[in-house]
Amino acid sequence: SQWGEENLQALSIQEGEDVTMNCSYKTYTTVVHWYRQDSGRGPALIILIRSNEREKRSGRLRATLDTSSQSSSLSITAAQCEDTAVYFCATDANRIFFGDGTQLVVKP
Amino acid sequence: GPKVLQIPSHQIIDMGQMVTLNCDPVSNHLYFYWYKQILGQQMEFLVNFYNGKVMEKSKLFKDQFSVERPDGSYFTLKIQPTALEDSAVYFCASRRTGGGYEQYFGPGTRLTVL
């Protein structure tokens, strides 16, 4: 399998809290994608981090990548209800390998 | 942003029948993909397609599966004959050539094989 540890299956937090989701992968990659998938819709890329970057920010999102441990994290600062979705990390540019995903629920 | 469309959104067929899933990719994209997601499970790569050819396929892309994009129209996934285990949501994606890696996904077609 492409993946080592599985992502947490479900996270439930209160609006305004910060949250971090982690993933680890087994095979070499030059890029880690983080996608979110809303119910009934296809995945949408929210942030991409390359192997020469240790950290990437986009608004309230922050991704990190540690190629030595083959792990990546996605943090959301001050989560809002609309952040409720399933979040996947994925590797490889051309044939994307998705992890199991984390169902994030942000409660008002 | 750019949109990928998929038609139909839901298809119900009897086992053994043929089904064609249609994808309308982003207009200037030349790489096309199909992924399969069984309910509650992770999404898995099936095949990618470029310049009229299958570039890479996974073991899930059985002999009963075929893809084509005739004359720049829909990018299609055909399953003939269908089996019960083909029931899933199928997502199409496309991306442009060049250095950008982002794939844009359609909303999926839910296929139910009875």
Side-chain angles (χ1 to χ4, degrees), chain A residues 4-5 20 23-24 27 32 47 54 59 61 72 74 82 86 97 101 103 105:
Chain A
E5 301 169 24
T20 297
C23 81
S24 58
T27 60
V32 171
I47 194 166
R54 290 187 60 83
L61 304 178
S72 179
L74 174 70
E82 52 264 37
V86 177
F97 294 97
Q103 172 67 63
V105 175

Side-chain angles (χ1 to χ4, degrees), chain B residues 65-103:
Chain B
F65 288 28
S66 62
V67 291
E68 63 176 355
R69 193 188 187 208
D71 300 325
S73 61
Y74 287 147
F75 174 52
T76 63
L77 173 66
K78 183 186 293 185
I79 309 174
Q80 181 178 26
T82 51
L84 294 177
E85 59 265 28
D86 296 331
S87 293
V89 180
Y90 291 83
F91 289 95
C92 171
S94 70
R95 73 170 178 91
R96 62 181 176 88
T97 54
Y101 293 139
E102 181 175 2
Q103 293 184 22

Side-chain angles (χ1 to χ4, degrees), chain A residues 15 18 29 34 58 64 68 90 98:
Chain A
E15 200 170 28
D18 300 341
T29 188
W34 282 92
S58 176
T64 66
S68 63
F98 287 90

Side-chain angles (χ1 to χ4, degrees), chain A residues 3 31 33 35 37 40-43 45 48 50 88 93-96 98-100, chain B residues 31 33 35 37 42-43 45 48 56-58 91 95 99 101-103 105-107:
Chain A
W3 299 98
V31 61
H33 313 244
Y35 283 82
Q37 186 174 18
R41 304 181 72 172
L45 182 72
L48 179 156
R50 302 186 191 280
F88 298 94
N94 204 31
R95 59 188 313 252
I96 294 178
F98 287 90
D100 288 335
Chain B
Y31 281 94
Y33 304 79
Y35 293 84
Q37 186 175 37
Q42 67 189 65
M43 192 171 313
F45 169 83
N48 60 16
E56 192 173 6
K57 58 186 179 181
S58 73
F91 289 95
R95 73 170 178 91
Y101 293 139
E102 181 175 2
Q103 293 184 22
F105 285 80

Side-chain angles (χ1 to χ4, degrees), chain B residues 39-55:
Chain B
L39 188 63
Q41 298 184 20
Q42 67 189 65
M43 192 171 313
E44 295 193 87
F45 169 83
L46 285 175
V47 64
N48 60 16
F49 187 86
Y50 171 74
N51 198 25
K53 299 173 190 173
V54 170
M55 303 301 291

